[in-house]
Amino acid sequence: MGNELTRFSTWLSTALKWLAPLIFGVLMVTVWEVLLLVINPENFLLPRPSEIFSELIDDLSKISDDRSKIWAATKTTGFIMITGLFWGIVWGVATALLVTLSRAANETLTPIAVAINAIPIIAVAPLFNNWLGLTSPRSNQMVVMMLVFFPIFITTARGLTQVDSQQIELMNSYAASKWKILRSVRIPNALPFFFTALKLVAPLSIIAAIVVEYFGGSQNSLGALITASASFADYSKAWSVVVAGSIMGMGLYFVALTAEKITLARDRSPRLLLIAWQKITGRTTGA
Amino acid sequence: MEVVSISNLSKIFNTGKDNEVEALREIDLTVTKGEFIALIGPSGCGKSTMLRLIGGLIPITSGELSVNGKTPTKAREERDYGMAFQSAGLLEWRTARKNIELPLELMGWSKAERIKRANEMLELVQLGEFARSRPAELSGGMQQRVAIGRALSFNPALLLMDEPFGALDEMTREHMQDQLLDICHKTESTVIFVTHSIPEAVFLSTRVVVMSPRPGQISSIVETNLRAGDNTADNTKIRNDERFYKKVTEVREALYGK
């Protein structure tokens, strides 16, 4: 009896955790819809949610015969976002490791990184376009990468260096090498820091990817589609593209969140990511 | 057999700078195998510094210091000693057993050997059923026991302990003292133990080294050795024994320079 009651209350609290924001979200969309219908049904600057969603569904229904503009644009922008994010993370983590292991590197690279971060990166996107080609994805990838780089670098570096000094002393008492200390103490210590930064830059990377597309890059992208729709006063189209971008951003956030949960759940070993990957892909290569 | 031999040892931090500090002056001390040395003295007198010098974690300024006939650095590299601090210093993301395995991992033990030894250590510190618990799930005393298990895991002949029971309540502290003595007798370890507590120093040690305020010097050495080599002696009896109180008084007088 008591056991079942506990189980029910656990179930209820889990359900509420998901239901509460869901109900609130639906409520907000409904208010938006009803309010516009009542106040100004002919409104054309701000379309109703139903119009936006029907536009989105209508467009996405054309995926099968390859005429969906939003799907094509999502693929282009998604590619730039993912690759930019990937290289930003790679360089950010690599630089963080470098400045942790080498004092000289720290003194040389950190001020430069800080200086680069002070550049309003999106503002120089047009310059990148001139250098790397107006329609090339390179310049857009570069902007996303540079935007991602700094938060990842500075946060990961903090996690790698902000280690309990007693733990370092203890490792020294075992005559542990720099690498062993990195592997056993610094990296596990830095993982929560890294994931905090990742959850921050994941949505940021989609913003950056779309905004730089206002200046150049492929004409077949989310940013270009928004500008084009807006200039033709096709606002429900523009908004449906925004929705597509939001979904992508949320998806990326959840990927980051899941990676964090998997890694931090047990002994903070990045090895777990590999195991998860092998489970997903069904591969069973040796550990 | 001499385990630690110190002669005319001095340590000065930040030599030649504004914040120069003379931590230790002309220390002479010889520790033989199986001894339990308690280091006691006022705060900042260089007790912990002495422990770190013996451990080869910081360099000496002048004088001579050898551990097992080697330089401290060499002894450290050959993992001649185990160390335990006031705070347990466990890695929070590792379970109790994995924390004990840490030094063994660094020494290249196989996984099976590591698990076997870590389980033995957990039994020794009476935490067998907590192998899979994380530090956050353990009390302060339990964490400290894990740290002691970790220090002992690779059978070091020498233990360097820096106020390991300092943060514990009186009851846990006495229990830990009994356990530590028991473990040391079983493993025939030599111990250098820094403490702020006079009764603790007297109860545990064979000799109490009393130090003066900075610059730290050895002001006197009190022979305690309440067990006189009898490892089966009843700890409660010793704590209530008249000789115990006499030695406590003796150390206190030495400490306050009466």
Side-chain angles (χ1 to χ4, degrees), chain A residues 23-39 46 48-49:
Chain A
I23 291 172
F24 187 70
V26 169
L27 206 69
M28 266 183 32
V29 171
T30 313
V31 168
W32 176 358
E33 179 85 29
V34 172
L35 214 61
L36 280 178
L37 267 177
V38 172
I39 298 170
L46 181 64
R48 278 175 281 123

Side-chain angles (χ1 to χ4, degrees), chain A residues 62-83:
Chain A
K62 288 183 267 181
I63 289 180
S64 52
D65 48 353
D66 221 12
R67 288 191 297 120
S68 166
K69 282 186 175 170
I70 294 179
W71 178 243
T74 304
K75 280 195 287 185
T76 313
T77 307
F79 172 75
I80 285 167
M81 176 186 78
I82 301 276
T83 47

Side-chain angles (χ1 to χ4, degrees), chain A:
Chain A
M1 266 295 279
N3 200 1
E4 263 175 34
L5 203 68
T6 328
R7 215 177 303 158
F8 176 71
S9 73
T10 321
W11 176 84
L12 196 68
S13 71
T14 317
L16 273 177
K17 207 174 89 187
W18 289 96
L19 271 178
L22 197 71
I23 291 172
F24 187 70
V26 169
L27 206 69
M28 266 183 32
V29 171
T30 313
V31 168
W32 176 358
E33 179 85 29
V34 172
L35 214 61
L36 280 178
L37 267 177
V38 172
I39 298 170
N40 186 0
E42 305 299 307
N43 181 302
F44 121 106
L45 279 174
L46 181 64
R48 278 175 281 123
S50 61
E51 292 173 301
I52 297 167
F53 279 105
S54 68
E55 179 76 44
L56 187 65
I57 302 292
D58 188 45
D59 185 284
L60 291 180
S61 67
K62 288 183 267 181
I63 289 180
S64 52
D65 48 353
D66 221 12
R67 288 191 297 120
S68 166
K69 282 186 175 170
I70 294 179
W71 178 243
T74 304
K75 280 195 287 185
T76 313
T77 307
F79 172 75
I80 285 167
M81 176 186 78
I82 301 276
T83 47
L85 188 64
F86 175 78
W87 287 111
I89 292 170
V90 167
W91 286 115
V93 170
T95 317
L97 286 170
L98 200 64
V99 301
T100 307
L101 289 173
S102 155
R103 198 181 181 152
N106 184 23
E107 280 163 10
T108 326
L109 290 177
T110 306
I112 294 175
V114 172
I116 289 174
N117 184 51
I119 303 171
I121 291 164
I122 290 178
V124 296
L127 300 176
F128 282 173
N129 282 332
N130 289 355
W131 294 341
L132 299 162
L134 187 62
T135 55
S136 152
R138 291 266 172 276
S139 64
N140 292 10
Q141 284 170 320
M142 190 76 126
V143 172
V144 176
M145 186 190 86
M146 287 177 70
L147 211 71
V148 167
F149 167 81
F150 193 76
I152 292 279
F153 159 61
I154 218 77
T155 318
T156 309
R158 167 156 295 188
L160 288 169
T161 46
Q162 217 168 63
V163 175
D164 185 358
S165 63
Q166 194 182 288
Q167 276 165 4
I168 300 294
E169 197 163 41
L170 191 78
M171 292 300 278
N172 284 333
S173 84
Y174 301 138
S177 66
K178 237 179 185 182
W179 292 105
K180 287 266 168 69
I181 295 176
L182 187 70
R183 174 89 184 70
S184 305
V185 181
R186 292 190 192 277
I187 290 179
N189 191 64
L191 282 174
F193 289 77
F194 168 76
F195 281 113
T196 304
L198 188 63
K199 285 188 290 182
L200 180 84
V201 295
L204 209 62
S205 67
I206 181 76
I207 296 174
I210 291 177
V211 170
V212 289
E213 281 161 355
Y214 295 163
F215 304 109
S218 165
Q219 281 311 293
N220 213 353
S221 64
L222 291 179
L225 210 53
I226 291 171
T227 10
S229 309
S231 60
F232 289 120
D234 190 354
Y235 292 118
S236 43
K237 181 86 175 183
W239 276 96
S240 66
V241 180
V242 172
V243 170
S246 312
I247 292 171
M248 199 153 67
M250 275 191 274
L252 206 60
Y253 182 82
F254 276 106
V255 170
L257 199 68
T258 311
E260 179 183 37
K261 285 226 163 114
I262 293 171
T263 313
L264 300 191
R266 282 173 56 195
D267 57 357
R268 282 197 197 172
S269 162
R271 196 167 15 110
L272 280 158
L273 282 179
L274 189 74
I275 294 168
W277 174 252
Q278 285 170 347
K279 275 203 178 136
I280 292 163
T281 55
R283 264 181 246 164
T284 45
T285 43

Side-chain angles (χ1 to χ4, degrees), chain B residues 115-153:
Chain B
I115 292 175
K116 185 166 171 283
R117 173 53 63 86
N119 284 335
E120 285 169 16
M121 285 299 132
L122 284 165
E123 288 302 325
L124 193 66
V125 295
Q126 293 176 4
L127 287 173
E129 63 217 274
F130 294 96
R132 287 169 180 279
S133 304
R134 298 187 184 249
E137 297 155 9
L138 301 173
S139 73
M142 288 156 101
Q143 289 184 27
Q144 200 59 51
R145 270 140 74 190
V146 175
I148 288 167
R150 179 180 59 188
L152 293 166
S153 61

